[in-house]
């Protein structure tokens, strides 16, 4: 294996094109860039001028539907809340025997009456907590104004609360905007991206001189489709969606554009001529502002496609990336997921969709220098948590999947820190969110929409 030198100034155009071509964008996708070299110059500047020791990434792991986290973080033993938990939760309460058998107790603090455990399905997360690699944030959520702990019912009813408090869509919107009681304009991650583009560490600076001044790809990447979290003010920083396999290529031109390109040139067939015509159209300078804006979006998407492909190639290739063998992160995911869930998957495409979303996210962190961002935000989603009467049947399996995905991410970041001298384990942080919690006391069949929740 060669030293990991993607940040080397010797990252040649040929090497860039070769990486890019085998990762979904195709050599032909560089046709427009080769006419003006803008993309290549930007990519070169990113890899030679960045201080990747400053790299930080946030990964949002969203549990869609409203996860019942009252059964994720559970009081046990002599905790004064244990009796209330058993009395109030009744048939949805998790027994201490189940917790003890699973070994998900959390290391007790100095006060013995403050013992907690995680759900029996979350064995890996409990171990991570006890190893100092995972933290819980209790009783948080959307809030318009402070509400006293012992508020009366009358005070509660007259206090300003978030809009449509128990509505899925409204509460997801408020989680992502972080501005309650106002119409949605942008997501907080989108606003952060806008600031990082234009100002270094909070100080005023011209556009393009911020923390992400060398960015050649979007700071905002989603593996789960478009999300309000990544909406920047006025769309200044477009979010870029990737598929579970990486960059999303144009359809109709064969795998990796094989039907339209041969030997770095357009093929002399209908696919080649269509692709050449398409790229000519999007690179044409339009007088009409809407036509030009549409073309700019397409060009941006094509350029991001190239860079995403290059980044995933870094993660997958032992010759060019940090890992000791090809597809090393895929092996880490397969071993971790199989070991946790008890499956026998042999290739990454057999993994569940949400696990593959996390895998491509980890690959892009591994290939981060191709993207030119010292700050990055990723988004992925796991649905199915709107359980209601099915909480006892469905929540254990859902949390087992969450546990395995979190373990996969953790092991991937440890592997990257082991083999990439420019990466530190603490450079990437996953945080979890969900629409809202479920009611503390169940109704006749299950739990319903509620408010304050626990996140990790």
């Amino acid at each position: 294996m060669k030293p990991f030198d993607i940040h080397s100034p010797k990252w040649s155009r040929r090497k860039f094109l070769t990486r890019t071509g085998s990762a979904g964008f195709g050599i032909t996708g560089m046709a427009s860039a080769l006419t003006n070299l803008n993309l290549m110059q930007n990519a070169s500047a990113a890899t030679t001028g960045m201080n990747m020791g400053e790299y930080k990434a946030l990964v949002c792991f969203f549990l869609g539907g409203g996860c019942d986290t009252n059964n994720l973080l559970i009081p046990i033993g002599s905790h004064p809340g244990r009796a209330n938990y058993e009395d109030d939760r009744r048939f949805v309460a998790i027994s201490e025997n189940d917790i003890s058998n699973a070994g998900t107790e959390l290391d007790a603090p100095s006060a013995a009456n403050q013992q907690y455990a995680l759900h029996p399905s979350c064995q890996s997360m409990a171990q991570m907590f006890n190893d100092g690699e995972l933290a819980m944030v209790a009783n948080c959520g959307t809030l318009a104004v402070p509400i006293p702990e012992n508020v009366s019912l009358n005070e509660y009813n007259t206090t300003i609360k978030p809009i449509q408090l128990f509505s899925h869509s409204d509460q997801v919107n408020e989680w992502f905007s972080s501005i309650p009681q106002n119409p949605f304009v942008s997501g907080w991650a989108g606003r952060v991206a806008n600031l990082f583009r234009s100002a270094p560490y909070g100080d005023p600076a011209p556009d393009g001189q911020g923390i992400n001044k060398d960015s050649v790809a979007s700071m905002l990447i989603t593996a789960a489709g478009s999300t309000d979290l990544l909406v920047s003010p006025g769309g200044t920083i477009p979010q870029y969606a990737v598929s579970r396999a990486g960059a999303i290529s144009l359809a109709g031109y064969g795998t990796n554009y094989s039907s339209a390109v041969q030997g770095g040139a357009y093929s002399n067939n209908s696919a080649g001529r269509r692709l050449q015509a398409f790229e000519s159209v999007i690179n044409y300078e339009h007088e009409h502002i809407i036509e030009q804006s549409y073309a700019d979006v397409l060009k941006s998407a094509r350029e991001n496609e190239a860079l995403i492909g290059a980044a995933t190639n870094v993660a997958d290739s032992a010759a060019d990336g940090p890992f000791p063998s090809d597809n090393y992160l895929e092996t880490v995911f397969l071993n971790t997921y199989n070991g946790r869930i008890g499956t026998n998957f042999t290739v990454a495409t057999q993994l569940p969709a949400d696990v593959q979303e996390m895998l491509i996210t980890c690959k892009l962190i591994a290939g981060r220098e191709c993207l030119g961002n010292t700050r990055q935000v990723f988004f992925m989603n796991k649905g199915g948590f709107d359980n209601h009467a099915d909480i006892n049947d469905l929540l254990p399996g859902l949390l087992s999947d969450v546990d395995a995905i979190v373990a996969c991410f953790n092991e991937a970041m440890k592997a990257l820190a082991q083999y990439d001298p420019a990466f530190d384990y603490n450079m990437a942080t996953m945080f979890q969110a969900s629409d809202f919690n479920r009611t503390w006391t169940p109704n006749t069949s299950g739990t319903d929409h509620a408010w304050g929740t626990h996140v990790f």
Side-chain angles (χ1 to χ4, degrees):
M1 184 185 74
K2 294 190 296 185
F4 182 44
D5 62 351
I6 183 65
H7 55 284
S8 167
K10 295 183 180 179
W11 195 36
S12 67
R13 181 195 303 177
R14 177 178 294 275
K15 192 172 186 180
F16 178 82
L17 294 177
T18 301
R19 278 197 194 131
T20 299
S22 63
F25 181 79
I27 298 295
T28 184
M30 293 299 297
S32 62
L34 293 178
T35 61
N36 55 32
L37 296 183
N38 283 341
L39 177 57
M40 193 58 239
Q41 290 166 357
N42 288 342
S44 177
T47 56
T48 58
M50 291 173 58
N51 179 6
M52 292 309 292
E54 298 177 350
Y55 182 80
K56 300 288 183 184
L58 286 175
V59 179
C60 177
F61 185 12
F62 196 79
L63 307 183
C67 178
D68 192 328
T69 57
N70 296 318
N71 276 0
L72 173 61
L73 181 64
I74 305 167
I76 60 171
S78 58
H79 192 293
R82 179 65 199 183
N84 288 338
Y85 174 83
E86 292 179 349
D87 292 344
D88 293 345
R89 300 231 87 194
R90 305 196 307 277
F91 61 88
V92 300
I94 306 297
S95 74
E96 292 202 70
N97 283 337
D98 288 344
I99 290 170
S100 179
N101 290 335
T104 55
E105 300 93 340
L106 304 182
D107 285 346
S110 56
N113 64 346
Q114 295 295 314
Q115 292 177 298
Y116 287 91
L118 296 186
H119 191 281
S121 294
C122 298
Q123 297 171 16
S124 296
M125 290 170 57
Q127 185 62 54
M128 288 170 58
F129 182 96
N130 293 334
D131 290 342
E133 298 169 348
L134 181 143
M136 298 296 304
V137 182
N139 193 27
C140 64
T142 59
L143 193 65
V145 297
I147 296 178
E149 180 178 357
N150 297 314
V151 64
S152 68
L153 180 59
N154 181 63
E155 290 172 323
Y156 170 83
N157 288 332
T158 56
T159 297
I160 299 175
K161 293 178 284 293
I163 299 172
Q164 298 295 322
L165 184 56
F166 307 117
S167 157
H168 285 288
S169 59
D170 289 285
Q171 292 314 293
V172 170
N173 180 285
E174 293 197 24
W175 266 102
F176 289 164
S177 72
S178 79
I179 303 176
Q181 300 294 321
N182 284 292
F184 180 85
V185 175
S186 61
W188 64 259
R191 297 196 297 275
V192 167
N194 189 55
L195 291 172
F196 281 172
R197 180 193 70 159
S198 60
Y201 303 99
D203 297 327
D207 278 358
Q209 299 300 312
I211 295 173
N212 277 344
K213 63 184 178 65
D214 292 321
S215 174
V216 291
S218 178
M219 174 184 166
L220 307 170
I221 295 180
T222 170
S226 178
T227 169
D228 285 347
L229 173 68
L230 305 184
V231 173
S232 59
T236 51
I237 310 292
Q239 57 183 294
Y240 184 78
V242 296
S243 72
R244 296 189 292 273
I248 301 175
S249 302
L250 295 172
Y253 299 103
T255 304
N256 291 343
Y257 300 94
S258 58
S259 300
V261 177
Q262 293 294 328
Y266 295 112
S267 300
N268 187 25
N269 57 23
S270 60
R273 288 188 287 272
R274 280 191 293 110
L275 184 59
Q276 184 176 20
F278 173 79
E279 294 195 328
S280 296
V281 169
I282 65 173
N283 282 285
Y284 179 78
E285 294 296 323
H286 301 270
E287 292 185 6
H288 196 288
I289 187 172
I290 295 179
E291 292 176 346
Q292 186 59 51
S293 296
Y294 178 75
D296 289 343
V297 169
L298 288 174
K299 284 189 286 186
S300 174
R302 294 287 278 158
E303 291 173 356
N304 276 279
E305 185 186 345
L307 296 160
I308 294 296
T312 55
N313 261 16
V314 167
D316 290 337
S317 170
D320 296 322
F323 297 114
S325 59
D326 290 348
N327 303 314
Y328 188 83
L329 279 184
E330 294 186 6
T331 301
V332 169
F333 265 67
L334 286 166
N335 290 342
T336 305
Y337 189 82
N338 286 335
R340 181 64 191 87
I341 300 296
T343 49
N344 191 31
F345 297 137
T346 56
V347 293
T349 52
Q350 294 175 331
L351 292 167
D354 40 35
V355 185
Q356 293 185 54
E357 288 180 12
M358 186 59 78
L359 173 57
I360 188 61
T361 297
C362 292
K363 286 184 178 183
L364 294 178
I365 293 174
R368 61 199 178 281
E369 296 190 32
C370 298
L371 309 181
N373 293 304
T374 55
R375 298 292 186 274
Q376 194 84 57
V377 181
F378 298 93
F379 177 83
M380 64 158 296
N381 176 75
K382 178 175 180 61
F385 288 90
D386 193 16
N387 300 147
H388 291 275
D390 298 319
I391 177 175
N392 287 339
D393 293 331
L394 298 181
L395 189 62
L398 288 166
L399 289 180
S400 183
D401 288 342
V402 168
D403 187 66
I405 293 171
V406 173
C408 286
F409 172 81
N410 196 47
E411 292 304 311
M413 294 302 99
K414 287 182 176 180
L416 185 57
Q418 177 182 357
Y419 291 108
D420 182 351
F423 183 81
D424 182 86
Y425 173 77
N426 293 313
M427 286 181 173
T429 300
M430 174 201 293
F431 67 95
Q432 168 262 319
S434 189
D435 315 24
F436 36 57
N437 205 351
R438 317 299 289 193
T439 49
W440 176 251
T441 54
N443 52 34
T444 56
S445 57
T447 56
D448 212 334
H449 302 180
W451 195 357
T453 188
H454 314 313
V455 300
F456 59 82

